Amino acid sequence: MLTSLLGLFFSALVAATLFPAASEAVLVGLLLESNIAPFVLISTASLGNILGSWINWWLGRQIDRFHDKAWFPIKPEKLALAKARFHRYGEWSLLLSWVPIIGDPLTLAAGVLGMPYQRFLVYVTIAKTLRYCAVTFITLGIV
């Protein structure tokens, strides 16, 4: 059981970074073939995926340290404008952080644009957990 949960956790963590992975397939397999409670599986997958998203956010924060360097690819004026727009509209976009292809870059952008991690974690936790709940409900025929 512990091995299965660790596998799910790490597949969810990797899936939330910029590396391709399919944690939903691992979750579905465990839902169908193990006797682990669905709540435990949802919690494990969500925690791994949230941690992976936080890693993206942290990397974005580290990248931002270099914005005043000559080699940095974004001009200071454009970065300031992007930050202002993200603070106005961008936080809600993190509710789409579960969406393949666009979700992972959104979490990185939140870090680059200086979103406080507490608010970041609220949006990402809602999005990621609801995604795994939906996968679970569909797999078990609850919906």
Side-chain angles (χ1 to χ4, degrees):
M1 180 169 122
L2 181 59
T3 303
S4 297
L5 291 174
L6 285 172
L8 177 60
F9 178 86
F10 284 111
S11 72
L13 186 145
V14 170
T17 65
L18 299 176
F19 295 107
S23 60
E24 294 87 354
V26 177
L27 175 61
V28 168
L30 289 172
L31 285 166
L32 296 175
E33 299 296 327
S34 76
N35 60 354
I36 302 171
F39 173 77
V40 174
L41 294 173
I42 291 169
S43 299
T44 302
S46 296
L47 287 172
N49 214 242
I50 293 163
L51 179 59
S53 293
W54 180 84
I55 290 169
N56 285 348
W57 174 89
W58 182 81
L59 289 171
R61 294 295 290 202
Q62 301 312 304
I63 289 169
D64 191 39
R65 294 184 323 180
F66 302 106
H67 75 273
D68 59 347
K69 303 290 184 195
W71 53 264
F72 193 74
I74 303 170
K75 301 283 184 224
E77 304 80 31
K78 289 196 177 209
L79 185 60
L81 179 62
K83 284 182 180 183
R85 286 185 180 160
F86 186 81
H87 288 300
R88 185 167 181 193
Y89 305 109
E91 290 184 11
W92 292 100
S93 68
L94 286 172
L95 292 175
L96 298 175
S97 63
W98 64 272
V99 176
I101 300 172
I102 66 165
D104 301 337
L106 279 174
T107 60
L108 184 71
V112 169
L113 298 175
M115 182 175 190
Y117 78 90
Q118 297 93 333
R119 288 200 319 258
F120 170 83
L121 287 176
V122 168
Y123 288 107
V124 169
T125 297
I126 291 168
K128 303 292 188 160
T129 302
L130 287 178
R131 184 247 325 259
Y132 287 119
C133 285
V135 170
T136 299
F137 294 161
I138 290 167
T139 300
L140 299 178
I142 297 173
V143 292

